[in-house]
């Protein structure tokens, strides 16, 4: 009763198009869900993300759920997840992505899910890491632990829009650190992020994780910016 009254005055809308959601819809309407540009990367052994990181980072697996297009539906969803605290987007897409990753999980077994970390100052400013609900949804789907403490960001990043591509890569090289014990040796880490563009952040994080003896690295992102 109370929920019905609340929905009457504060109706739930699709976070992609802002249309009213039907009773059987959550987070994203059926129309927008069908319009999401799926990559199908988990069905391709040598997909475009693997190729992007070739020679930069040795990966056991790499994929994204969606393609990112400027001013598109995916950008709208990730903007609301990242800056408007709509963490339900991370859960919704994480559950979907988790089902896709299950199909390869017997062949590629992950030991821990690791989010790209925020600097403590950035985390305090924003109040949350946009990858948390995404990571927890993957963790539940794959039955793999989520670990947001092993990897940390040591450099507070100011805006980089005026920096060159190579300057940004140099900044990333010393931006991250890792805290591990012998119990982490030999683990296969699934490193997650929201959008892959140049890949420099994931490359830097992956190389830090690769310093753990006998570790293996894979990558999963919500979206890929071609």
């Amino acid at each position: 009763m109370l929920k019905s009254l609340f929905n009457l005055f504060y109706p739930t809308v699709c976070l992609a198009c802002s249309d009213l959601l039907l009773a059987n819809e959550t987070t994203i309407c059926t129309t927008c869900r069908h319009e999401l540009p799926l990559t199908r990367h988990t069905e391709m052994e040598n997909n475009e993300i693997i190729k992007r990181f070739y020679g930069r980072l040795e990966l056991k697996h790499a994929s994204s759920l969606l393609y990112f297009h400027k001013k598109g539906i995916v950008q709208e969803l990730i903007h609301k997840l990242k800056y408007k605290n709509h963490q339900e987007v991370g859960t919704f897409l994480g559950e979907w992505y988790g089902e896709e990753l299950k199909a390869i999980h017997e062949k590629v077994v992950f030991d821990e899910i690791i989010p790209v970390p925020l600097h403590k100052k950035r985390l305090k400013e924003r109040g949350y890491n946009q990858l948390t609900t995404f990571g927890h949804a993957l963790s539940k789907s794959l039955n793999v632990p989520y670990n947001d403490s092993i990897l940390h960001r040591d450099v507070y990043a100011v805006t980089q829009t005026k920096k060159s591509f190579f300057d940004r890569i140099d900044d990333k090289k010393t931006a991250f650190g890792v805290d591990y014990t012998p119990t982490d040796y030999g683990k296969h880490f699934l490193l997650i992020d929201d959008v892959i563009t140049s890949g420099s952040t994931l490359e830097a994080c992956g190389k830090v994780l690769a310093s753990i003896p006998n570790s293996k690295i894979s990558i999963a992102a919500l979206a890929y910016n071609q």
Side-chain angles (χ1 to χ4, degrees):
M1 178 69 176
L2 288 175
K3 184 177 181 181
S4 297
L5 286 172
F6 182 84
N7 288 337
L8 179 64
F9 292 102
Y10 302 97
T12 306
V13 299
C14 171
L15 291 177
C17 69
S18 298
D19 283 351
L20 292 177
L21 291 177
L22 301 178
N24 62 336
E25 296 174 333
T26 59
T27 311
I28 304 171
C29 69
T30 302
T31 300
C32 287
R33 177 168 180 153
H34 286 310
E35 291 179 357
L36 287 172
L38 297 171
T39 66
R40 306 295 184 190
H41 281 158
T42 54
E43 301 171 12
M44 313 171 199
E45 287 191 10
N46 192 29
N47 63 53
E48 55 205 308
I49 298 182
I50 290 286
K51 292 175 182 176
R52 172 155 292 196
F53 284 96
Y54 182 78
R56 299 166 61 185
L57 191 62
E58 184 177 346
L59 298 172
K60 296 299 180 181
H61 169 81
S63 63
S64 69
L65 177 65
L66 305 166
Y67 284 113
F68 182 97
H69 300 123
K70 201 167 185 180
K71 297 184 179 179
I73 186 173
V74 176
Q75 183 181 36
E76 181 67 19
L77 289 172
I78 290 179
H79 178 80
K80 286 179 176 174
L81 168 65
K82 191 169 183 175
Y83 300 111
K84 302 297 182 180
N85 201 15
H86 281 287
Q87 297 303 296
E88 64 269 38
V89 172
T91 299
F92 180 88
L93 295 178
E95 289 173 349
W96 188 347
Y97 201 3
E99 290 302 310
E100 288 201 6
L101 289 170
K102 273 184 183 179
I104 66 163
H105 193 44
E106 288 186 5
K107 185 169 62 173
V108 186
V109 179
F110 311 115
D111 296 307
E112 285 187 348
I113 296 168
I114 312 293
V116 169
L118 294 179
H119 188 272
K120 289 181 180 179
K121 183 177 179 181
R122 180 74 72 199
L123 184 59
K124 185 176 181 180
E125 290 170 347
R126 189 176 295 169
Y128 57 90
N129 185 331
Q130 72 274 10
L131 298 174
T132 300
T133 53
F134 171 45
H136 280 298
L138 289 180
S139 174
K140 185 176 180 181
S141 293
L142 300 173
N143 195 28
V144 172
Y146 176 80
N147 185 346
D148 62 357
S149 61
I150 191 171
L151 192 64
H152 49 86
R153 189 186 290 257
D154 298 327
V155 176
Y156 178 76
V158 296
T159 182
Q160 298 190 7
T161 54
K162 295 183 180 180
K163 292 185 178 181
S164 73
F165 171 75
F166 294 106
D167 286 338
R168 291 196 294 270
I169 290 177
D170 286 340
D171 287 347
K172 296 291 194 311
K173 286 179 180 177
T174 56
F176 301 96
V178 63
D179 295 324
Y180 63 88
T181 68
T183 60
D184 297 306
Y185 292 1
K187 284 186 177 179
H188 186 176
F189 298 106
L190 179 62
L191 182 61
I192 63 170
D193 203 358
D194 46 18
V195 181
I196 299 174
T197 303
S198 70
S200 59
T201 297
L202 284 166
E203 180 183 357
C205 289
K207 285 180 176 177
V208 169
L209 285 173
S211 68
I212 300 173
N214 301 316
S215 61
K216 296 178 285 292
I217 312 297
S218 286
I219 284 173
L222 284 172
Y224 174 62
N225 190 355
Q226 296 170 290

